[in-house]
Amino acid sequence: MTTQEAEPSGATGLFIYGIVPSDVEPTPDAEGVGDPAGEVTAVRHGDLAALVSEVGLEEPMGRPADLTAYQTLLDGTAAVAPVLPVRFGTVVTGQDAVAELLEAHHDRFAAALDEFEDRLQYTVHGRFDEEEMISDFLTENSAAAALAEQVRGRQEAETREKRIRLGEMISQGVELRREAENRALIEALTPYAVAHAPRPPSSELDAMNVAFLVATDDEEDFVRAVEDFAEQRRGLVRMRLLGPLAPYDFVSAHQLVA
């Protein structure tokens, strides 16, 4: 419910970060979006509360610092209580509007918070080392290797078509390997995760990009399994483990639509 129309100068609204149980209190040092950072408070209704901060309706949103503040608040909250992230940039006119939203979706949000109790998101991202990936591909694909030999050391202009074809073959090879790596990752980590959500690649060299919902009791085993998986691919894939995070990839059905 983002404000779209022009507002009077100085008008303010409430930026909504996420939905939490009603007994959750923002920490005194919690910082919201804006410059200066807004004070984060909770608007309560029934068993629910919304984490909010005041923003100027004329103030531009979407700066990197704003997105960082949004994520920092939600990830910090997720470490101590279940939270349903609300789409970044959702702004309503005031506390009454927040209470109305909580009332309208009360039972659905309460059930979702129960579902995410003691569960956190971890995201596993990996990127192929380009030289290693191409070397492995050419070793496994004799036709591509022959094409690479034909263009090696020759001028680009006279081998243009062959270079284009070789590039297409390598691109297809990376895509197939990415699919295989994602499957292998999901298979390796499924015993330690409640759910998983594949994410689109963020670059052509992405090897894997999957979000996992993990029970807090299984966090250590999950992290250890990720480390083992990464060790098996050392040199070929550079892997990163992001988390613990708020369950961004698992709450789409519960988000407030702006």
Side-chain angles (χ1 to χ4, degrees), residues 60-79:
M61 285 289 123
R63 301 175 305 141
D66 292 329
L67 184 57
T68 297
Y70 165 82
Q71 294 175 330
T72 298
L73 178 65
L74 290 173
D75 294 344
T77 302

Side-chain angles (χ1 to χ4, degrees), residues 59-233:
E59 185 176 349
M61 285 289 123
R63 301 175 305 141
D66 292 329
L67 184 57
T68 297
Y70 165 82
Q71 294 175 330
T72 298
L73 178 65
L74 290 173
D75 294 344
T77 302
V80 297
V83 58
L84 305 179
V86 173
R87 190 195 317 189
F88 178 82
T90 299
V91 177
V92 297
T93 53
Q95 291 196 15
D96 289 345
V98 177
E100 289 173 5
L101 289 171
L102 294 178
E103 181 177 14
H105 302 283
H106 185 279
D107 292 347
R108 185 158 57 94
F109 288 150
L113 287 171
D114 286 342
E115 177 185 344
F116 290 109
E117 181 77 38
D118 295 326
R119 294 178 179 180
L120 296 163
Q121 175 172 322
Y122 282 86
T123 300
V124 182
H125 180 259
R127 184 160 293 176
F128 289 118
D129 179 279
E130 186 171 13
E131 290 187 5
E132 287 293 329
M133 177 63 206
I134 292 175
S135 176
D136 280 6
F137 175 72
L138 294 180
T139 298
E140 298 169 358
N141 190 310
S142 58
L147 203 55
E149 187 61 32
Q150 292 172 29
V151 303
R152 184 176 291 114
R154 300 181 63 183
Q155 293 185 359
E156 186 172 344
E158 63 179 294
T159 58
R160 184 173 181 275
E161 291 186 4
K162 291 181 178 180
R163 290 178 185 274
I164 291 174
R165 175 57 183 152
L166 178 59
E168 291 173 344
M169 294 174 72
I170 292 174
S171 179
Q172 292 170 1
V174 171
E175 184 175 349
L176 290 173
R177 184 64 181 268
R178 179 189 303 125
E179 292 173 358
E181 291 292 346
N182 273 283
R183 286 195 302 269
L185 179 71
I186 291 169
E187 182 178 351
L189 299 184
T190 291
Y192 312 102
V194 176
H196 65 269
R199 312 179 84 196
S202 58
S203 88
E204 293 181 354
L205 285 173
D206 265 14
M208 61 209 56
N209 195 6
V210 184
F212 294 88
L213 189 65
V214 181
T216 53
D217 288 345
D218 294 327
E219 280 184 275
E220 290 187 7
D221 290 338
F222 177 84
V223 171
R224 191 177 301 113
V226 173
E227 292 172 346
D228 290 344
F229 189 90
E231 182 61 32
Q232 295 169 15
R233 285 152 179 79

